[in-house]
Amino acid sequence: MHMHKLEKMWLGIGVSMLAVFLVVLGVMTFSQGIAPPNEHVHHIDPTKVNETAPFDKPELKQIGDNEYEAVMVAYAFGYDPMEPMEVPAGATVHFKVTSSDVVHGFEIPGTNVNVMVTPGEVSQVTHTFNKPGEYLILCNEYCGIAHEMMKTTLVVK
């Protein structure tokens, strides 16, 4: 099979660009800590979320000195607990989130908190809130007709 010189050149450019993209992805993964959350993966029966501890009583509770655990359930079209949660400035919050119905998102804009909430899987993410203010928690995965109403807040005092 004979290939024209220009075809070989474009094929070389394409392969080299693919190699550059893979190198950039590898560097970002290891240097910036960007990777899928695969540690501490827990599974529960999505039909029994309301009966499975700790999701049977979703709440924000203090677990240490300026350290909190927020157990939350995402459902169409809200989060439980629904009322604003309050923590002091400098608090570290460990979020444990699951869904009982469909795939939802869990994002706090302006932070590194952004996870996919899948039915039957417990998603965990931790963040330290150093700046006081009101942080919006929203769903960033389309989950139905009232998706844009799915939100709650975390108030840092």
Side-chain angles (χ1 to χ4, degrees):
M1 176 167 84
H2 175 64
M3 289 178 64
H4 192 272
K5 184 171 79 171
L6 292 176
E7 285 180 305
K8 289 180 184 178
M9 186 176 72
W10 280 111
L11 186 60
I13 289 172
V15 170
S16 62
M17 289 304 295
L18 180 61
V20 167
F21 291 145
L22 289 174
V23 167
V24 168
L25 181 65
V27 168
M28 293 303 290
T29 298
F30 294 109
S31 69
Q32 301 293 320
I34 300 171
N38 59 2
E39 57 187 54
H40 310 296
V41 176
H42 301 288
H43 297 281
I44 61 173
D45 185 354
T47 61
K48 297 182 180 177
V49 169
N50 295 336
E51 304 166 14
T52 306
F55 300 103
D56 55 342
K57 296 178 185 167
E59 63 181 347
L60 175 71
K61 64 181 176 182
Q62 188 167 4
I63 59 172
D65 186 36
N66 216 18
E67 189 171 5
Y68 295 81
E69 179 181 62
V71 176
M72 301 179 74
V73 176
Y75 60 89
F77 299 99
Y79 292 104
D80 195 10
M82 207 49 187
E83 68 275 349
M85 299 173 283
E86 293 185 7
V87 296
T92 299
V93 181
H94 305 280
F95 294 96
K96 275 187 169 180
V97 190
T98 193
S99 170
S100 58
D101 50 14
V102 297
V103 174
H104 295 284
F106 185 84
E107 178 183 7
I108 304 176
T111 69
N112 66 345
V113 176
N114 186 0
V115 295
M116 184 180 288
V117 183
T118 308
E121 188 174 303
V122 179
S123 299
Q124 299 182 33
V125 64
T126 300
H127 186 74
T128 302
F129 294 89
N130 292 317
K131 291 195 286 186
E134 192 169 293
Y135 292 84
L136 178 67
I137 300 172
L138 54 84
C139 177
N140 60 358
E141 293 285 334
Y142 182 74
C143 55
I145 192 110
H147 162 73
E148 71 277 0
M149 302 303 294
M150 189 169 171
K151 62 186 176 203
T152 189
T153 55
L154 175 73
V155 179
V156 178
K157 294 186 171 195

